[in-house]
Amino acid sequence: MAESQLLEEKKSLPLLRTEELLVNMGPQHPSTHGVLKVVLTLEGERIIKSEPVLGFLHRGVEKLAETITYHQFIPHTDRLDYVCAMYNNFAYVRAVEKLLALKVPDRAEYLRTIIAEVQRIIGHLFWLGSQALDIGAMTVFFYTFRERELLLDIFDDLCGARLTTSWYRIGGVERDFTPKIIDDIYKFVADFPSKIDEYDTLLVNNRIWLARTKGIAYISAEDAVSFGLSGPTLRGSGVDYDLRKVAPYGAYDKVEWKVPLGKNGDTYDRYYIRMEEMRESTKIIKQCLDQLPEGPYLAYEPKVVIPAKDRVFTDMESMIYQFRLFTNGFNAPPGDIYCGTEAHKGELGFYIVSRGGGKPYRLKIRAPSFIHLGAFDHMAKGYMIADIVTIFGTYDIVMGECDR
Amino acid sequence: MDLMFYIVSAVITIAVVMGVVLLHVAYITYFERKILGDMQDRMGPMEVGYHGLLQPIADGLKLFFKEDIIPSGANKIIFTAAPILVLVPALIGFAVIPFGRDSLTIGPFTFNPIITDINIGILYILAFASLGAYGVLLGGWASNSKYALLGGLRSAAQVISYELPLGLALVGPILLSESLSMVKMTEAQSGGALKWFILVQPIPFFIYVISAIAETNRLPFDLPEAESELVAGFFTEYSGMRFAFFFLAEYANMILTSCIATVVFLGGWHAPHPALEFIPPILWFLAKVYCFLFFYIWIRATLPRLRFDQLMGFCWKILLPVGLANILITSIVVYWLRS
């Protein structure tokens, strides 16, 4: 839209010498969400072309996976999207379980779903805070971090870590909920909807917020599908595609919830969707806690699942399995498998090629942040330079996942 | 002999006013951080001194001892002059602000609560305020950085645009008080809160408040220094004391615009009711200025930032026509009342 407008402007001013301005934004710019670099071509304050430059945080995680056993790779998935370690763990262990055709106990599925949704809320809170801060509403940032803190404390009680959690295990989870954790989550879920309303009072009716988000970074439903977008970025354009509904896993098919959809495919709709998703997540968590079945939290599959620590010290058989698993790993069947999981940013997929043995032959991660950056130029073209941070924010990019 | 006494008392008045203003500038940063902290569920500065009371001094010392860096591609003379060009106009405006009513006489010296009462006081402030835009523009230009250049251009455009509605908003009260002198304008509002110009001229007051926030580059109009896209805008390349000058100028401008609002719209040093006049006028003045400053900080904690084109559209399409219409109506009413 802006290009034709600019051309007309150029024609009307034939005597003025104009020149495009090339700005290297990043990788150490304060608001490019990590080490993303974008080469911007500007005409005045308008973006003509934008070119993301990636790789500043490349760590070779996928290559690393080929040298270690399946169990040992779980902590590495924490560092992909370091804002939401739990969901990365979840996506990875699901892929491995699919490769092994391993059945996870009911209780473990519920525990996984609850923590995954808690993680989704954390991810959306983090996103909301940083997006609002980028647009200049600094107070929202502190409010969202206040609630995030409560949830991170729950993680702390659960597994001793706040960010790099590694709580999911192939075949279940590392340990069960204590009564205190269940109480804390119940308390949080009861309180949280009023907190979302509080963020809304600062933003949803704020004319400046509407002016900064409505119509910004528009993408049509067809384009969103062709670029391979997923998650709230796709649903903002009105495409009803949520892996939790399309290919249910965990306990998502056993509880009542809705998939919020946008209409206009702009930044405001994606904001609206994430706010609604937080409300839906609280519903999911509450129902899961109510339905939580009794039973084991780890599958009984001694050749695959790491045995419980107390048994390793007392039981000969468990000790042997422990030794086998940590020296050779388990023997995965040959074949290749793709498993996508709906993380809060979009579809987080793991593609594993196995040729038997304890280590993957090849492991490829489909990171939503990386795929979303492919649509960056398409979505940023024609907007003002002030919108660029809004556009960064609306994807919810984490560079750790993008560069891997 | 009289002349000498006069000069000495004038110099002392200037020193006291500048000292007090700079002290307030330093401590308004502390109040801002404390109030923002309170609104955002956190503490604000707590470490330096009792409840962080010495924080502004620590910050000042830190900036003072920082290495003074001039970027290699920068124009040295303009780069050095720009911070001074911003700070001086911000401070010089305080010369015509009447802080109180009563003069203080000690022996042969007479100290007035105003440095000088010139009969074009408000024009003088507006004239000097416009000079500040040069400092910002030149500072951005001389830094030889694209972010600073964009910030400087934005700032120049913004300050020049918003000076128009700011000036227009002040015309109404000038018409009513029939004077450009700050003291006369204050005196025209004597006799309780009902006589204050905010009640007679509410629309210009709102225009003034909005334009003043834009003039001082504060949220939601802080585009020249929008840290999310332009790093720090026109002072991206500045560090140490030069950075402190820009910083001081921003807060001095905040206080100056608050003082003008107090004098022009909120009755200056007058008490809201004659029965409350036992409280010294200077305290009333300070209380009003601080209410206004609190409003600045409150706005900052609440609102997101506008985009550049929205900001300019708002100025030229809304504020300017409303300001002009107000002048027209006010002059007709004033003419009709007097004839």
Side-chain angles (χ1 to χ4, degrees), chain A residues 21-26 29-32 42 44-46 132-140 142-143 146 202-203 206 208-209 211-212 216 383-389, chain B residues 32 36-42 146-147 149-151 153-154 219-223 226-232 297-310:
Chain A
L21 184 69
L22 198 72
V23 178
N24 270 314
M25 201 167 178
H29 188 281
S31 61
T32 54
L42 300 177
E45 293 234 355
R46 210 167 275 283
L133 189 66
D134 282 346
I135 298 183
M138 64 191 299
T139 303
V140 180
F142 289 100
Y143 285 0
R146 182 185 60 194
L202 277 168
L203 296 176
N206 189 327
I208 301 177
W209 178 261
R212 287 303 303 275
I216 303 298
Y383 293 104
M384 314 285 280
I385 187 174
D387 292 326
I388 199 100
V389 286
Chain B
E32 171 162 41
L36 278 183
D38 205 43
M39 287 177 176
Q40 294 166 350
D41 275 0
R42 59 195 174 93
K146 283 167 184 168
Y147 293 120
L149 176 62
L150 279 172
L153 286 176
R154 275 185 183 185
L219 257 171
F221 304 110
D222 64 340
L223 302 156
E227 64 183 29
S228 51
E229 69 255 22
L230 295 183
V231 191
I297 296 163
W298 187 13
I299 287 278
R300 181 174 173 200
T302 312
L303 292 179
R305 183 182 298 123
L306 276 167
R307 209 173 57 207
F308 189 62
D309 54 326
Q310 295 163 344

Side-chain angles (χ1 to χ4, degrees), chain B residues 267-308:
Chain B
W269 34 259
H270 287 298
H273 191 269
L276 290 168
E277 268 174 7
F278 62 92
I279 297 170
I282 198 153
L283 288 186
W284 280 116
F285 189 88
L286 269 183
K288 289 170 189 173
V289 168
Y290 269 88
C291 283
F292 210 79
L293 287 172
F294 176 76
F295 180 72
Y296 264 114
I297 296 163
W298 187 13
I299 287 278
R300 181 174 173 200
T302 312
L303 292 179
R305 183 182 298 123
L306 276 167
R307 209 173 57 207
F308 189 62

Side-chain angles (χ1 to χ4, degrees), chain B residues 42-96:
Chain B
R42 59 195 174 93
M43 306 286 267
M46 287 296 283
E47 293 299 319
V48 193
Y50 178 72
H51 277 252
L53 267 173
L54 298 176
Q55 187 68 42
I57 294 159
D59 285 346
L61 279 177
K62 186 199 91 173
L63 287 171
F64 191 72
F65 286 117
K66 277 239 168 163
E67 187 188 351
D68 181 29
I69 300 165
I70 298 180
S72 55
N75 183 326
K76 272 193 189 142
I77 299 170
I78 300 180
F79 188 82
T80 321
I84 302 167
L85 210 52
V86 172
L87 183 60
V88 169
L91 290 178
I92 221 165
F94 286 100
V96 293

